[in-house]
């Protein structure tokens, strides 16, 4: 794979990841606000946020390993 194509793939991955982080941040804001409204959905959103946050950490770990090997 040539360097320009590889760079384009890394850029596309970064752009996609940024979009996911925006969604994760929005979900975190909901998790912080919902308990104050006594919403019955607060626990569910918290569980979802924890799961996605862990997946994000795992992704970052694996991405760092891939970058070292590249």
């Amino acid at each position: 794979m040539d360097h320009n194509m590889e760079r384009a793939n890394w850029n596309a991955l970064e752009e996609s990841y940024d979009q996911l982080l925006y969604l994760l941040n929005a979900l975190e804001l909901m998790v912080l606000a919902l308990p104050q409204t006594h919403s019955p959905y607060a626990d569910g959103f918290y569980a979802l946020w924890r799961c996605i946050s862990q997946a994000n950490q795992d992704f970052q770990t694996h991405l760092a390993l891939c970058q070292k090997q590249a």
Side-chain angles (χ1 to χ4, degrees):
M1 182 181 306
D2 79 17
H3 182 68
N4 288 337
M5 178 68 94
E6 187 175 321
R7 185 74 245 154
N9 287 335
W10 280 110
N11 288 343
L13 180 63
E14 184 178 353
E15 190 173 310
S16 295
Y17 182 67
D18 285 345
Q19 292 296 317
L20 290 173
L21 283 181
Y22 296 146
L23 294 172
L24 182 59
N25 289 337
L27 184 57
E28 184 177 12
L29 287 175
M30 290 175 66
V31 165
L32 294 172
L34 279 175
Q36 297 171 14
T37 66
H38 306 290
S39 171
Y41 302 108
D43 290 340
F45 274 98
Y46 177 72
L48 182 62
W49 174 77
R50 280 193 57 194
C51 180
I52 295 172
S53 292
Q54 183 60 54
N56 175 45
Q57 290 175 356
D58 293 346
F59 176 83
Q60 289 181 17
T61 299
H62 294 293
L63 180 60
L65 291 172
C66 289
Q67 288 174 325
K68 285 181 182 179
Q69 293 174 359

